[in-house]
Amino acid sequence: MMLSLFDQFASPMLFGISLVALALTLPWVLFPKPTTRWLNNRLLTLQGWFIIRFTQQIFQPINLGGHKWAAILTSLMLFLITLNMLGLIPYTFTPTTQLSINMALAVPLWLATVIVGMRNQPTHALGHLLPEGTPTPLIPILIVIETISLLIRPLALGVRLTANLTAGHLLIQLISTAAFILFPLMPTVALLTTILLFLLTLLEVAVAMIQAYVFVLLLSLYLQENV
């Protein structure tokens, strides 16, 4: 029996060795590989259609200079979706519930977009810190506020993904525990709780995909400001 609700988010250990690296490597093994045949199977065709549609939707409003990021952001989208979906399988570990891992993904990519903007168009990038037509007395305050809002972006990316997935996992555990305890006492209530658990699981599947999409979408918006 688990000692705490949050024990499920602890990093798995085997012989004193953390298995986080293995959990992060597993999604790349599960992706279907291209074949040498002229016609692909249904899975490869579906994967290719998804990648093409996602890339078109994300990069349509971005200049041609930002299309170099297509491979990185599309790979990140597939990686996050796979990690989030695998985490919904019982007795598995979800790496994206760890704030440190999400920040390790968010900070370098956000910093890369900022560096690209500073290198390609420094005047435009710095112009975001001071809106046009600002009264002179408010200039120092607005510069500080805009700088803080800029620096808090990677934190918001990591916290949003962590909080949504953690909350969903906790709700699933609480409702499943309630259904298990209520089954011998009140079977009807336990059955209704099980139906609620099924609906919540479907919702969490949607949340797992949506949060991965939002993570990459916000990164593309930050990139759009700097290219």
Side-chain angles (χ1 to χ4, degrees):
M1 184 176 179
M2 301 185 68
L3 299 178
S4 170
L5 291 175
F6 293 93
D7 285 348
Q8 60 177 315
F9 304 115
S11 175
M13 306 288 289
L14 181 64
F15 302 117
I17 301 175
S18 177
L19 299 181
V20 174
L22 179 61
L24 292 174
T25 308
L26 182 60
W28 302 112
V29 181
L30 298 178
F31 292 145
K33 306 297 187 296
T35 63
T36 56
R37 299 177 180 178
W38 287 6
L39 295 177
N40 293 325
N41 56 32
R42 292 183 178 87
L43 185 59
L44 281 172
T45 303
L46 180 62
Q47 178 181 272
W49 175 84
F50 172 78
I51 291 175
I52 292 173
R53 293 293 299 172
F54 170 77
T55 307
Q56 288 177 348
Q57 184 175 2
I58 289 292
F59 288 93
Q60 187 174 6
I62 300 179
N63 297 333
L64 291 177
H67 291 186
K68 303 173 185 177
W69 290 63
I72 296 176
L73 295 186
T74 305
S75 301
L76 179 63
M77 172 74 173
L78 293 173
F79 181 62
L80 290 177
I81 285 182
T82 309
L83 282 180
N84 296 345
M85 298 292 287
L86 289 176
L88 294 175
I89 301 175
Y91 302 104
T92 56
F93 172 69
T94 312
T96 44
T97 57
Q98 306 293 313
L99 182 60
S100 57
I101 294 178
N102 294 334
M103 292 299 294
L105 294 173
V107 172
L109 292 173
W110 164 82
L111 187 59
T113 61
V114 174
I115 292 176
V116 166
M118 291 294 184
R119 185 186 66 179
N120 294 340
Q121 41 186 6
T123 304
H124 181 71
L126 293 176
H128 288 296
L129 301 179
L130 186 62
E132 187 177 355
T134 303
T136 305
L138 296 179
I139 289 179
I141 300 175
L142 279 180
I143 290 177
V144 173
I145 293 175
E146 291 297 329
T147 303
I148 294 175
S149 67
L150 177 65
L151 297 177
I152 209 173
R153 283 180 174 181
L155 181 62
L157 282 175
V159 170
R160 180 185 295 106
L161 183 58
T162 304
N164 282 281
L165 295 180
T166 302
H169 283 65
L170 287 176
L171 279 175
I172 288 177
Q173 182 178 357
L174 288 172
I175 295 178
S176 60
T177 304
F180 180 77
I181 294 175
L182 289 174
F183 185 75
L185 303 176
M186 292 179 287
T188 305
V189 178
L191 179 61
L192 294 176
T193 307
T194 305
I195 295 174
L196 178 62
L197 176 62
F198 176 73
L199 296 176
L200 180 62
T201 304
L202 294 181
L203 176 63
E204 284 305 309
V205 171
V207 168
M209 294 186 288
I210 291 172
Q211 288 304 316
Y213 175 76
V214 169
F215 190 92
V216 177
L217 177 63
L218 290 176
L219 282 174
S220 69
L221 293 178
Y222 301 156
L223 177 65
Q224 184 179 355
E225 292 180 357
N226 293 284
V227 294

PDB file of all heavy atoms in Angstrom, residues 104-136:
ATOM      1  N   ALA A 104      13.875  21.468 -17.863  1.00  0.00           N
ATOM      2  CA  ALA A 104      15.027  21.148 -18.711  1.00  0.00           C
ATOM      3  C   ALA A 104      14.656  21.181 -20.187  1.00  0.00           C
ATOM      4  O   ALA A 104      15.520  21.405 -21.044  1.00  0.00           O
ATOM      5  CB  ALA A 104      15.583  19.774 -18.335  1.00  0.00           C
ATOM      6  N   LEU A 105      13.382  20.966 -20.494  1.00  0.00           N
ATOM      7  CA  LEU A 105      12.919  21.096 -21.874  1.00  0.00           C
ATOM      8  C   LEU A 105      12.561  22.538 -22.223  1.00  0.00           C
ATOM      9  O   LEU A 105      12.827  22.998 -23.344  1.00  0.00           O
ATOM     10  CB  LEU A 105      11.692  20.197 -22.101  1.00  0.00           C
ATOM     11  CG  LEU A 105      11.909  18.684 -22.027  1.00  0.00           C
ATOM     12  CD1 LEU A 105      10.567  17.962 -22.111  1.00  0.00           C
ATOM     13  CD2 LEU A 105      12.832  18.214 -23.134  1.00  0.00           C
ATOM     14  N   ALA A 106      11.949  23.247 -21.270  1.00  0.00           N
ATOM     15  CA  ALA A 106      11.425  24.583 -21.551  1.00  0.00           C
ATOM     16  C   ALA A 106      12.522  25.644 -21.617  1.00  0.00           C
ATOM     17  O   ALA A 106      12.533  26.474 -22.531  1.00  0.00           O
ATOM     18  CB  ALA A 106      10.382  24.958 -20.500  1.00  0.00           C
ATOM     19  N   VAL A 107      13.440  25.636 -20.648  1.00  0.00           N
ATOM     20  CA  VAL A 107      14.428  26.723 -20.547  1.00  0.00           C
ATOM     21  C   VAL A 107      15.352  26.789 -21.769  1.00  0.00           C
ATOM     22  O   VAL A 107      15.520  27.872 -22.358  1.00  0.00           O
ATOM     23  CB  VAL A 107      15.234  26.599 -19.239  1.00  0.00           C
ATOM     24  CG1 VAL A 107      16.383  27.594 -19.219  1.00  0.00           C
ATOM     25  CG2 VAL A 107      14.332  26.817 -18.032  1.00  0.00           C
ATOM     26  N   PRO A 108      15.976  25.692 -22.214  1.00  0.00           N
ATOM     27  CA  PRO A 108      16.873  25.825 -23.383  1.00  0.00           C
ATOM     28  C   PRO A 108      16.150  26.266 -24.654  1.00  0.00           C
ATOM     29  O   PRO A 108      16.686  27.079 -25.415  1.00  0.00           O
ATOM     30  CB  PRO A 108      17.453  24.407 -23.539  1.00  0.00           C
ATOM     31  CG  PRO A 108      17.259  23.758 -22.220  1.00  0.00           C
ATOM     32  CD  PRO A 108      15.999  24.326 -21.661  1.00  0.00           C
ATOM     33  N   LEU A 109      14.941  25.742 -24.883  1.00  0.00           N
ATOM     34  CA  LEU A 109      14.222  26.118 -26.103  1.00  0.00           C
ATOM     35  C   LEU A 109      13.760  27.571 -26.043  1.00  0.00           C
ATOM     36  O   LEU A 109      13.843  28.294 -27.044  1.00  0.00           O
ATOM     37  CB  LEU A 109      13.031  25.181 -26.301  1.00  0.00           C
ATOM     38  CG  LEU A 109      13.404  23.732 -26.634  1.00  0.00           C
ATOM     39  CD1 LEU A 109      12.165  22.841 -26.644  1.00  0.00           C
ATOM     40  CD2 LEU A 109      14.107  23.651 -27.982  1.00  0.00           C
ATOM     41  N   TRP A 110      13.257  28.003 -24.887  1.00  0.00           N
ATOM     42  CA  TRP A 110      12.880  29.419 -24.750  1.00  0.00           C
ATOM     43  C   TRP A 110      14.099  30.315 -24.911  1.00  0.00           C
ATOM     44  O   TRP A 110      14.035  31.346 -25.596  1.00  0.00           O
ATOM     45  CB  TRP A 110      12.236  29.640 -23.376  1.00  0.00           C
ATOM     46  CG  TRP A 110      12.164  31.081 -22.987  1.00  0.00           C
ATOM     47  CD1 TRP A 110      11.236  31.998 -23.359  1.00  0.00           C
ATOM     48  CD2 TRP A 110      13.092  31.791 -22.145  1.00  0.00           C
ATOM     49  NE1 TRP A 110      11.515  33.226 -22.803  1.00  0.00           N
ATOM     50  CE2 TRP A 110      12.649  33.127 -22.060  1.00  0.00           C
ATOM     51  CE3 TRP A 110      14.248  31.417 -21.458  1.00  0.00           C
ATOM     52  CZ2 TRP A 110      13.328  34.081 -21.307  1.00  0.00           C
ATOM     53  CZ3 TRP A 110      14.925  32.368 -20.717  1.00  0.00           C
ATOM     54  CH2 TRP A 110      14.461  33.682 -20.650  1.00  0.00           C
ATOM     55  N   LEU A 111      15.212  29.941 -24.294  1.00  0.00           N
ATOM     56  CA  LEU A 111      16.428  30.751 -24.391  1.00  0.00           C
ATOM     57  C   LEU A 111      16.929  30.799 -25.833  1.00  0.00           C
ATOM     58  O   LEU A 111      17.440  31.836 -26.284  1.00  0.00           O
ATOM     59  CB  LEU A 111      17.507  30.177 -23.470  1.00  0.00           C
ATOM     60  CG  LEU A 111      18.795  30.987 -23.319  1.00  0.00           C
ATOM     61  CD1 LEU A 111      18.496  32.373 -22.771  1.00  0.00           C
ATOM     62  CD2 LEU A 111      19.783  30.255 -22.417  1.00  0.00           C
ATOM     63  N   ALA A 112      16.768  29.706 -26.558  1.00  0.00           N
ATOM     64  CA  ALA A 112      17.191  29.694 -27.965  1.00  0.00           C
ATOM     65  C   ALA A 112      16.365  30.671 -28.793  1.00  0.00           C
ATOM     66  O   ALA A 112      16.911  31.375 -29.659  1.00  0.00           O
ATOM     67  CB  ALA A 112      17.071  28.282 -28.528  1.00  0.00           C
ATOM     68  N   THR A 113      15.050  30.755 -28.526  1.00  0.00           N
ATOM     69  CA  THR A 113      14.216  31.715 -29.264  1.00  0.00           C
ATOM     70  C   THR A 113      14.634  33.152 -28.949  1.00  0.00           C
ATOM     71  O   THR A 113      14.654  34.007 -29.830  1.00  0.00           O
ATOM     72  CB  THR A 113      12.734  31.515 -28.927  1.00  0.00           C
ATOM     73  OG1 THR A 113      12.519  31.736 -27.529  1.00  0.00           O
ATOM     74  CG2 THR A 113      12.287  30.114 -29.291  1.00  0.00           C
ATOM     75  N   VAL A 114      14.968  33.419 -27.688  1.00  0.00           N
ATOM     76  CA  VAL A 114      15.401  34.765 -27.300  1.00  0.00           C
ATOM     77  C   VAL A 114      16.729  35.113 -27.979  1.00  0.00           C
ATOM     78  O   VAL A 114      16.920  36.229 -28.487  1.00  0.00           O
ATOM     79  CB  VAL A 114      15.520  34.871 -25.777  1.00  0.00           C
ATOM     80  CG1 VAL A 114      16.113  36.229 -25.377  1.00  0.00           C
ATOM     81  CG2 VAL A 114      14.152  34.701 -25.116  1.00  0.00           C
ATOM     82  N   ILE A 115      17.657  34.157 -28.007  1.00  0.00           N
ATOM     83  CA  ILE A 115      18.963  34.407 -28.622  1.00  0.00           C
ATOM     84  C   ILE A 115      18.809  34.637 -30.125  1.00  0.00           C
ATOM     85  O   ILE A 115      19.478  35.501 -30.705  1.00  0.00           O
ATOM     86  CB  ILE A 115      19.910  33.218 -28.331  1.00  0.00           C
ATOM     87  CG1 ILE A 115      20.241  33.174 -26.837  1.00  0.00           C
ATOM     88  CG2 ILE A 115      21.181  33.329 -29.158  1.00  0.00           C
ATOM     89  CD1 ILE A 115      21.085  31.982 -26.434  1.00  0.00           C
ATOM     90  N   VAL A 116      17.919  33.873 -30.754  1.00  0.00           N
ATOM     91  CA  VAL A 116      17.673  34.071 -32.189  1.00  0.00           C
ATOM     92  C   VAL A 116      17.155  35.475 -32.447  1.00  0.00           C
ATOM     93  O   VAL A 116      17.575  36.161 -33.397  1.00  0.00           O
ATOM     94  CB  VAL A 116      16.672  33.002 -32.702  1.00  0.00           C
ATOM     95  CG1 VAL A 116      16.151  33.391 -34.086  1.00  0.00           C
ATOM     96  CG2 VAL A 116      17.333  31.646 -32.761  1.00  0.00           C
ATOM     97  N   GLY A 117      16.219  35.949 -31.598  1.00  0.00           N
ATOM     98  CA  GLY A 117      15.695  37.298 -31.771  1.00  0.00           C
ATOM     99  C   GLY A 117      16.745  38.362 -31.538  1.00  0.00           C
ATOM    100  O   GLY A 117      16.818  39.356 -32.284  1.00  0.00           O
ATOM    101  N   MET A 118      17.587  38.187 -30.521  1.00  0.00           N
ATOM    102  CA  MET A 118      18.632  39.170 -30.233  1.00  0.00           C
ATOM    103  C   MET A 118      19.680  39.209 -31.346  1.00  0.00           C
ATOM    104  O   MET A 118      20.256  40.262 -31.627  1.00  0.00           O
ATOM    105  CB  MET A 118      19.311  38.824 -28.899  1.00  0.00           C
ATOM    106  CG  MET A 118      18.429  39.028 -27.693  1.00  0.00           C
ATOM    107  SD  MET A 118      18.030  40.782 -27.426  1.00  0.00           S
ATOM    108  CE  MET A 118      17.093  40.672 -25.898  1.00  0.00           C
ATOM    109  N   ARG A 119      19.916  38.073 -31.982  1.00  0.00           N
ATOM    110  CA  ARG A 119      20.944  38.038 -33.024  1.00  0.00           C
ATOM    111  C   ARG A 119      20.424  38.566 -34.355  1.00  0.00           C
ATOM    112  O   ARG A 119      21.123  39.312 -35.050  1.00  0.00           O
ATOM    113  CB  ARG A 119      21.439  36.597 -33.192  1.00  0.00           C
ATOM    114  CG  ARG A 119      22.610  36.458 -34.162  1.00  0.00           C
ATOM    115  CD  ARG A 119      22.948  35.013 -34.398  1.00  0.00           C
ATOM    116  NE  ARG A 119      21.854  34.306 -35.089  1.00  0.00           N
ATOM    117  CZ  ARG A 119      21.910  33.027 -35.440  1.00  0.00           C
ATOM    118  NH1 ARG A 119      22.974  32.313 -35.141  1.00  0.00           N
ATOM    119  NH2 ARG A 119      20.880  32.473 -36.061  1.00  0.00           N
ATOM    120  N   ASN A 120      19.189  38.204 -34.711  1.00  0.00           N
ATOM    121  CA  ASN A 120      18.660  38.580 -36.028  1.00  0.00           C
ATOM    122  C   ASN A 120      18.078  39.984 -36.058  1.00  0.00           C
ATOM    123  O   ASN A 120      18.291  40.724 -37.021  1.00  0.00           O
ATOM    124  CB  ASN A 120      17.596  37.566 -36.462  1.00  0.00           C
ATOM    125  CG  ASN A 120      18.185  36.188 -36.692  1.00  0.00           C
ATOM    126  OD1 ASN A 120      19.386  36.047 -36.898  1.00  0.00           O
ATOM    127  ND2 ASN A 120      17.341  35.171 -36.653  1.00  0.00           N
ATOM    128  N   GLN A 121      17.318  40.351 -35.037  1.00  0.00           N
ATOM    129  CA  GLN A 121      16.682  41.672 -35.003  1.00  0.00           C
ATOM    130  C   GLN A 121      16.668  42.189 -33.561  1.00  0.00           C
ATOM    131  O   GLN A 121      15.631  42.170 -32.896  1.00  0.00           O
ATOM    132  CB  GLN A 121      15.263  41.587 -35.565  1.00  0.00           C
ATOM    133  CG  GLN A 121      14.482  40.366 -35.140  1.00  0.00           C
ATOM    134  CD  GLN A 121      13.160  40.260 -35.844  1.00  0.00           C
ATOM    135  OE1 GLN A 121      12.850  41.047 -36.736  1.00  0.00           O
ATOM    136  NE2 GLN A 121      12.344  39.306 -35.432  1.00  0.00           N
ATOM    137  N   PRO A 122      17.802  42.655 -33.082  1.00  0.00           N
ATOM    138  CA  PRO A 122      17.901  43.092 -31.686  1.00  0.00           C
ATOM    139  C   PRO A 122      16.977  44.254 -31.355  1.00  0.00           C
ATOM    140  O   PRO A 122      16.421  44.312 -30.253  1.00  0.00           O
ATOM    141  CB  PRO A 122      19.379  43.475 -31.525  1.00  0.00           C
ATOM    142  CG  PRO A 122      19.870  43.727 -32.924  1.00  0.00           C
ATOM    143  CD  PRO A 122      19.082  42.801 -33.792  1.00  0.00           C
ATOM    144  N   THR A 123      16.804  45.203 -32.279  1.00  0.00           N
ATOM    145  CA  THR A 123      15.935  46.358 -32.007  1.00  0.00           C
ATOM    146  C   THR A 123      14.489  45.916 -31.792  1.00  0.00           C
ATOM    147  O   THR A 123      13.810  46.371 -30.860  1.00  0.00           O
ATOM    148  CB  THR A 123      16.008  47.366 -33.160  1.00  0.00           C
ATOM    149  OG1 THR A 123      17.370  47.748 -33.373  1.00  0.00           O
ATOM    150  CG2 THR A 123      15.189  48.602 -32.832  1.00  0.00           C
ATOM    151  N   HIS A 124      14.022  45.030 -32.655  1.00  0.00           N
ATOM    152  CA  HIS A 124      12.644  44.536 -32.532  1.00  0.00           C
ATOM    153  C   HIS A 124      12.476  43.701 -31.269  1.00  0.00           C
ATOM    154  O   HIS A 124      11.438  43.776 -30.592  1.00  0.00           O
ATOM    155  CB  HIS A 124      12.291  43.712 -33.771  1.00  0.00           C
ATOM    156  CG  HIS A 124      10.887  43.179 -33.754  1.00  0.00           C
ATOM    157  ND1 HIS A 124       9.784  43.989 -33.916  1.00  0.00           N
ATOM    158  CD2 HIS A 124      10.411  41.916 -33.567  1.00  0.00           C
ATOM    159  CE1 HIS A 124       8.685  43.252 -33.848  1.00  0.00           C
ATOM    160  NE2 HIS A 124       9.033  41.986 -33.643  1.00  0.00           N
ATOM    161  N   ALA A 125      13.490  42.888 -30.943  1.00  0.00           N
ATOM    162  CA  ALA A 125      13.395  42.046 -29.752  1.00  0.00           C
ATOM    163  C   ALA A 125      13.361  42.881 -28.480  1.00  0.00           C
ATOM    164  O   ALA A 125      12.575  42.619 -27.558  1.00  0.00           O
ATOM    165  CB  ALA A 125      14.573  41.068 -29.716  1.00  0.00           C
ATOM    166  N   LEU A 126      14.205  43.918 -28.420  1.00  0.00           N
ATOM    167  CA  LEU A 126      14.208  44.790 -27.244  1.00  0.00           C
ATOM    168  C   LEU A 126      12.981  45.689 -27.211  1.00  0.00           C
ATOM    169  O   LEU A 126      12.587  46.168 -26.143  1.00  0.00           O
ATOM    170  CB  LEU A 126      15.483  45.635 -27.225  1.00  0.00           C
ATOM    171  CG  LEU A 126      16.786  44.858 -27.011  1.00  0.00           C
ATOM    172  CD1 LEU A 126      17.981  45.792 -27.120  1.00  0.00           C
ATOM    173  CD2 LEU A 126      16.791  44.159 -25.656  1.00  0.00           C
ATOM    174  N   GLY A 127      12.368  45.930 -28.391  1.00  0.00           N
ATOM    175  CA  GLY A 127      11.182  46.774 -28.436  1.00  0.00           C
ATOM    176  C   GLY A 127       9.996  46.163 -27.712  1.00  0.00           C
ATOM    177  O   GLY A 127       9.072  46.893 -27.306  1.00  0.00           O
ATOM    178  N   HIS A 128       9.994  44.850 -27.507  1.00  0.00           N
ATOM    179  CA  HIS A 128       8.901  44.207 -26.771  1.00  0.00           C
ATOM    180  C   HIS A 128       8.903  44.618 -25.298  1.00  0.00           C
ATOM    181  O   HIS A 128       7.879  44.490 -24.614  1.00  0.00           O
ATOM    182  CB  HIS A 128       9.017  42.683 -26.860  1.00  0.00           C
ATOM    183  CG  HIS A 128       8.680  42.142 -28.223  1.00  0.00           C
ATOM    184  ND1 HIS A 128       7.426  42.254 -28.795  1.00  0.00           N
ATOM    185  CD2 HIS A 128       9.430  41.487 -29.140  1.00  0.00           C
ATOM    186  CE1 HIS A 128       7.415  41.686 -29.985  1.00  0.00           C
ATOM    187  NE2 HIS A 128       8.625  41.224 -30.227  1.00  0.00           N
ATOM    188  N   LEU A 129      10.051  45.085 -24.804  1.00  0.00           N
ATOM    189  CA  LEU A 129      10.136  45.467 -23.396  1.00  0.00           C
ATOM    190  C   LEU A 129       9.488  46.817 -23.116  1.00  0.00           C
ATOM    191  O   LEU A 129       9.260  47.156 -21.951  1.00  0.00           O
ATOM    192  CB  LEU A 129      11.603  45.494 -22.949  1.00  0.00           C
ATOM    193  CG  LEU A 129      12.375  44.176 -23.088  1.00  0.00           C
ATOM    194  CD1 LEU A 129      13.815  44.356 -22.626  1.00  0.00           C
ATOM    195  CD2 LEU A 129      11.697  43.059 -22.305  1.00  0.00           C
ATOM    196  N   LEU A 130       9.210  47.591 -24.157  1.00  0.00           N
ATOM    197  CA  LEU A 130       8.626  48.915 -23.957  1.00  0.00           C
ATOM    198  C   LEU A 130       7.578  49.170 -25.037  1.00  0.00           C
ATOM    199  O   LEU A 130       7.912  49.446 -26.187  1.00  0.00           O
ATOM    200  CB  LEU A 130       9.708  50.001 -24.022  1.00  0.00           C
ATOM    201  CG  LEU A 130       9.247  51.422 -23.691  1.00  0.00           C
ATOM    202  CD1 LEU A 130       8.736  51.510 -22.257  1.00  0.00           C
ATOM    203  CD2 LEU A 130      10.381  52.415 -23.899  1.00  0.00           C
ATOM    204  N   PRO A 131       6.283  49.065 -24.699  1.00  0.00           N
ATOM    205  CA  PRO A 131       5.228  49.319 -25.693  1.00  0.00           C
ATOM    206  C   PRO A 131       5.286  50.744 -26.219  1.00  0.00           C
ATOM    207  O   PRO A 131       5.706  51.679 -25.522  1.00  0.00           O
ATOM    208  CB  PRO A 131       3.932  49.062 -24.897  1.00  0.00           C
ATOM    209  CG  PRO A 131       4.343  48.220 -23.730  1.00  0.00           C
ATOM    210  CD  PRO A 131       5.753  48.623 -23.405  1.00  0.00           C
ATOM    211  N   GLU A 132       4.868  50.900 -27.461  1.00  0.00           N
ATOM    212  CA  GLU A 132       4.893  52.214 -28.092  1.00  0.00           C
ATOM    213  C   GLU A 132       3.862  53.143 -27.450  1.00  0.00           C
ATOM    214  O   GLU A 132       2.749  52.738 -27.118  1.00  0.00           O
ATOM    215  CB  GLU A 132       4.591  52.056 -29.587  1.00  0.00           C
ATOM    216  CG  GLU A 132       4.752  53.338 -30.378  1.00  0.00           C
ATOM    217  CD  GLU A 132       4.507  53.135 -31.854  1.00  0.00           C
ATOM    218  OE1 GLU A 132       4.305  51.966 -32.265  1.00  0.00           O
ATOM    219  OE2 GLU A 132       4.513  54.136 -32.593  1.00  0.00           O
ATOM    220  N   GLY A 133       4.250  54.399 -27.270  1.00  0.00           N
ATOM    221  CA  GLY A 133       3.355  55.389 -26.687  1.00  0.00           C
ATOM    222  C   GLY A 133       3.282  55.364 -25.173  1.00  0.00           C
ATOM    223  O   GLY A 133       2.354  55.926 -24.578  1.00  0.00           O
ATOM    224  N   THR A 134       4.248  54.724 -24.517  1.00  0.00           N
ATOM    225  CA  THR A 134       4.247  54.659 -23.050  1.00  0.00           C
ATOM    226  C   THR A 134       4.618  56.025 -22.474  1.00  0.00           C
ATOM    227  O   THR A 134       5.583  56.656 -22.911  1.00  0.00           O
ATOM    228  CB  THR A 134       5.263  53.606 -22.570  1.00  0.00           C
ATOM    229  OG1 THR A 134       4.951  52.348 -23.165  1.00  0.00           O
ATOM    230  CG2 THR A 134       5.216  53.469 -21.058  1.00  0.00           C
ATOM    231  N   PRO A 135       3.875  56.516 -21.481  1.00  0.00           N
ATOM    232  CA  PRO A 135       4.258  57.782 -20.829  1.00  0.00           C
ATOM    233  C   PRO A 135       5.641  57.682 -20.192  1.00  0.00           C
ATOM    234  O   PRO A 135       6.027  56.620 -19.686  1.00  0.00           O
ATOM    235  CB  PRO A 135       3.167  57.968 -19.763  1.00  0.00           C
ATOM    236  CG  PRO A 135       2.007  57.161 -20.253  1.00  0.00           C
ATOM    237  CD  PRO A 135       2.594  55.998 -20.987  1.00  0.00           C
ATOM    238  N   THR A 136       6.368  58.797 -20.223  1.00  0.00           N
ATOM    239  CA  THR A 136       7.755  58.795 -19.738  1.00  0.00           C
ATOM    240  C   THR A 136       7.885  58.334 -18.288  1.00  0.00           C
ATOM    241  O   THR A 136       8.796  57.556 -17.967  1.00  0.00           O
ATOM    242  CB  THR A 136       8.360  60.201 -19.908  1.00  0.00           C
ATOM    243  OG1 THR A 136       8.240  60.605 -21.277  1.00  0.00           O
ATOM    244  CG2 THR A 136       9.827  60.195 -19.489  1.00  0.00           C
TER     245      THR A 136
END
